[in-house]
Amino acid sequence: MNEWIQDCSEHWNRYTFSRFLELLGDRIPLLHQLENTPQDEEWHAEGNVRVHTGMVLQELFTHLDRTQDSYSPEQKLSLVLGALLHDIAKPLTTRQRELDGRERIVAPRHASRGCSYLAYKLPGLGLPYEVIHQVMRLVALHHEPKFLVIKDRAAGSYLSLASQVDSRLLAALAYADMRGRTCPDKQKQIEYIDFFKMFCQEYGVWGKNRILEEWSQSIREALPDFPIDFVEYTISKGFRDFCAGRIFSPEEAISRTYDLREGYPRVVLMCGPSGSGKSTWCEEHFPGYELISLDLIREEVCKSRSDQSSNQKVVQIARERLRVCLREKKNVLWDATSLRRDFRSQVLSLSTDYRAHTTLVVFQLPEEQLFQRNKAREHAVPENVLAKQLQSMEWPDEREAHRTMFIDEHGQCLRDTRRALYNLY
């Protein structure tokens, strides 16, 4: 695999959709379904999703031919794969819906579904993790440049978006997506991306999020002797409050956490399918934390960790134990798959209410390894259950917690927002 990765980074315009289908079709099977996935005739008169994807690739190649010296090899590869995969979930989400009295073809939430679908497909390709991360963010957010402009969002929305993805790469993909289609308002759609670029430059988040860097530096300099998670909490919460328009300076962010200097709880939330190594890794790296395990509570209540009949009661018990720990300012390790965003939100929101520092530890292994590991587990789940877990996965947004860590099959940290976003070490 590494040979094509290096070649694609240097000679991207050799890689047609057909070539990618030969290389990646077995590992990313939805690529085969793009040709049979229709699109709305008004928004995409060019034809099915495969036709559109091929046009987007060609538009991106034209852009890279003009500007190739502006991007690193990893960025070029991220853009090419982002263009190839930006609509990968349309076969899963495409349906007919009545809009304004007419039957239209729509694909709701295909961007976020595509990101989640790729989460356990891409790690098996031998790609650098920064490319995997960037491709997933490009797929998840490729509509955002247009929507921010159409919805007339304030500066904070641009700052928040730029904390998730390189805005320059996102704009390059959005341009290719708009140019690689046939629709009556094509020029207007392209102008939305022009405005997005202009606003990003005006707000200081074109390419790099200079505003976040400045906030981070100001707060670190003001709190030189404080624990790293306290500084991280102050930066993370403060920047979100700033983006939401609740505060306007790093000094206000510091003042809002002053009362926590006497102590605060820490909550670590695991996220990953069965068999991904969550419990073993987290118990080793967060020793002394109070363990709240949904599987263990099921054994207490139902006498079997696989019995799902009393899940509501199990979650209620777990939440009450969490409240007790938070009131006593104890550190907590929440052990569950936490695949859905609403499940994670219940724990993280409650923790935030008690002013806890939150860490989300996400386990990202190649899909085939998940099935192999599951077979060898003492408490293996049926393969169809594991497959459903992967299908229902809602990939985390790094803004869900104060810190997010991504762990591979070897237990190595692939990405840590403490380093990547806040440059704290």
Side-chain angles (χ1 to χ4, degrees):
M1 279 295 179
N2 288 329
E3 184 177 343
W4 79 261
I5 292 170
Q6 180 66 29
D7 188 54
C8 185
S9 300
E10 298 173 356
H11 307 289
W12 57 85
N13 48 15
R14 296 177 183 173
Y15 286 79
T16 62
F17 184 91
S18 296
R19 176 66 174 141
F20 277 122
L21 194 61
E22 293 174 7
L23 284 168
L24 305 179
D26 289 344
R27 290 181 175 269
I28 308 177
L30 282 184
L31 285 170
H32 290 285
Q33 298 185 36
L34 298 188
E35 187 170 15
N36 299 318
T37 304
Q39 299 187 111
D40 189 81
E41 291 183 358
E42 182 173 331
W43 295 327
H44 286 280
E46 71 277 0
N48 61 51
V49 180
R50 174 171 174 162
V51 172
H52 169 60
T53 300
M55 292 172 66
V56 173
L57 281 169
Q58 290 305 312
E59 290 292 342
L60 182 68
F61 295 159
T62 300
H63 171 71
L64 291 178
D65 283 336
R66 292 197 311 263
T67 62
Q68 57 179 293
D69 293 338
S70 300
Y71 301 106
S72 69
E74 292 79 12
Q75 289 175 325
K76 293 173 188 174
L77 184 58
S78 297
L79 280 171
V80 172
L81 293 177
L84 173 72
L85 301 168
H86 76 286
D87 281 346
I88 191 64
K90 278 191 173 179
L92 302 175
T93 59
T94 295
R95 64 202 62 182
Q96 287 193 325
R97 177 181 294 172
E98 184 175 312
L99 295 175
D100 299 324
R102 296 168 51 200
E103 284 293 320
R104 306 291 295 271
I105 296 176
V106 297
R109 299 182 66 247
H110 72 270
S112 59
R113 284 287 300 276
C115 173
S116 299
Y117 171 80
L118 294 169
Y120 296 99
K121 305 287 187 186
L122 295 181
L125 300 181
L127 296 163
Y129 187 72
E130 193 52 40
V131 171
I132 292 174
H133 173 78
Q134 198 73 259
V135 170
M136 291 176 61
R137 301 321 298 156
L138 290 172
V139 170
L141 301 168
H142 71 272
H143 289 310
E144 289 303 302
K146 179 179 73 172
F147 289 154
L148 289 184
V149 175
I150 291 175
K151 296 177 181 179
D152 196 23
R153 298 300 191 196
S157 296
Y158 290 81
L159 272 58
S160 181
L161 179 65
S163 69
Q164 303 174 70
V165 66
D166 185 318
S167 59
R168 192 169 62 112
L169 299 187
L170 188 62
L173 176 58
Y175 275 123
D177 185 23
M178 293 306 168
R179 290 174 176 144
R181 67 176 68 197
T182 302
C183 58
D185 62 344
K186 182 173 179 176
Q187 189 54 44
K188 183 178 181 181
Q189 298 293 324
I190 293 172
E191 287 174 359
Y192 289 140
I193 315 304
D194 291 334
F195 279 113
F196 171 77
K197 176 180 178 180
M198 180 187 71
F199 287 131
C200 284
Q201 291 172 331
E202 179 181 342
Y203 299 143
V205 292
W206 180 243
K208 285 188 175 182
N209 193 333
R210 294 198 304 273
I211 306 303
L212 178 55
E213 291 177 357
E214 291 169 3
W215 270 68
S216 174
Q217 181 177 349
S218 295
I219 292 174
R220 293 198 317 269
E221 290 176 353
L223 303 171
D225 301 320
F226 284 83
I228 194 168
D229 52 7
F230 177 81
V231 179
E232 182 174 58
Y233 179 100
T234 304
I235 294 171
S236 177
K237 184 179 186 307
F239 193 72
R240 292 175 205 181
D241 287 343
F242 174 61
C243 290
R246 291 189 287 266
I247 63 174
F248 301 96
S249 70
E251 291 74 22
E252 289 179 272
I254 294 169
S255 69
R256 287 188 165 211
T257 58
Y258 188 88
D259 61 317
L260 299 181
R261 300 183 185 197
E262 299 302 319
Y264 49 90
R266 297 165 182 83
V267 174
V268 175
L269 176 66
M270 307 178 197
C271 176
S274 299
S276 53
K278 300 183 299 296
S279 302
T280 301
W281 193 92
C282 285
E283 288 177 24
E284 177 183 346
H285 288 80
F286 296 95
Y289 279 51
E290 190 84 12
L291 178 66
I292 298 179
S293 167
L294 268 60
D295 281 345
L296 294 180
I297 296 175
R298 284 191 192 95
E299 286 188 346
E300 295 176 23
V301 175
C302 307
K303 309 307 178 186
S304 170
R305 64 173 56 203
S306 62
D307 188 336
Q308 305 288 320
S309 62
S310 299
N311 273 350
Q312 186 173 358
K313 182 177 180 180
V314 168
V315 172
Q316 287 175 343
I317 292 172
R319 283 171 57 85
E320 185 53 40
R321 291 180 184 178
L322 177 59
R323 285 192 184 92
V324 171
C325 290
L326 290 170
R327 284 196 294 265
E328 297 175 0
K329 295 186 179 180
K330 291 182 178 179
N331 298 333
V332 176
L333 189 57
W334 182 277
D335 187 351
T337 57
S338 305
L339 301 178
R340 284 174 41 181
R341 186 167 290 109
D342 57 343
F343 290 168
R344 295 193 296 271
S345 178
Q346 291 179 33
V347 179
L348 294 170
S349 295
L350 180 59
S351 302
T352 300
D353 289 343
Y354 281 87
R355 313 288 301 281
H357 175 281
T358 57
T359 298
L360 184 60
V361 185
V362 186
F363 291 78
Q364 189 171 11
L365 291 68
E367 186 175 54
E368 58 270 21
Q369 289 203 18
L370 286 170
F371 284 93
Q372 291 171 6
R373 286 190 176 196
N374 178 59
K375 290 179 182 178
R377 295 178 70 209
E378 179 183 355
H379 301 286
V381 300
E383 285 201 355
N384 67 315
V385 172
L386 180 54
K388 287 180 180 178
Q389 288 182 2
L390 294 175
Q391 292 170 9
S392 65
M393 176 72 175
E394 293 179 339
W395 195 248
D397 180 332
E398 290 181 350
R399 298 171 301 176
E400 291 181 30
H402 300 114
R403 180 188 187 187
T404 306
M405 305 171 70
F406 297 90
I407 310 301
D408 70 5
E409 67 270 28
H410 306 296
Q412 299 299 310
C413 185
L414 297 164
R415 177 178 169 84
D416 184 345
T417 56
R418 181 173 285 181
R419 296 194 301 263
L421 295 184
Y422 307 134
N423 193 30
L424 291 181
Y425 44 75

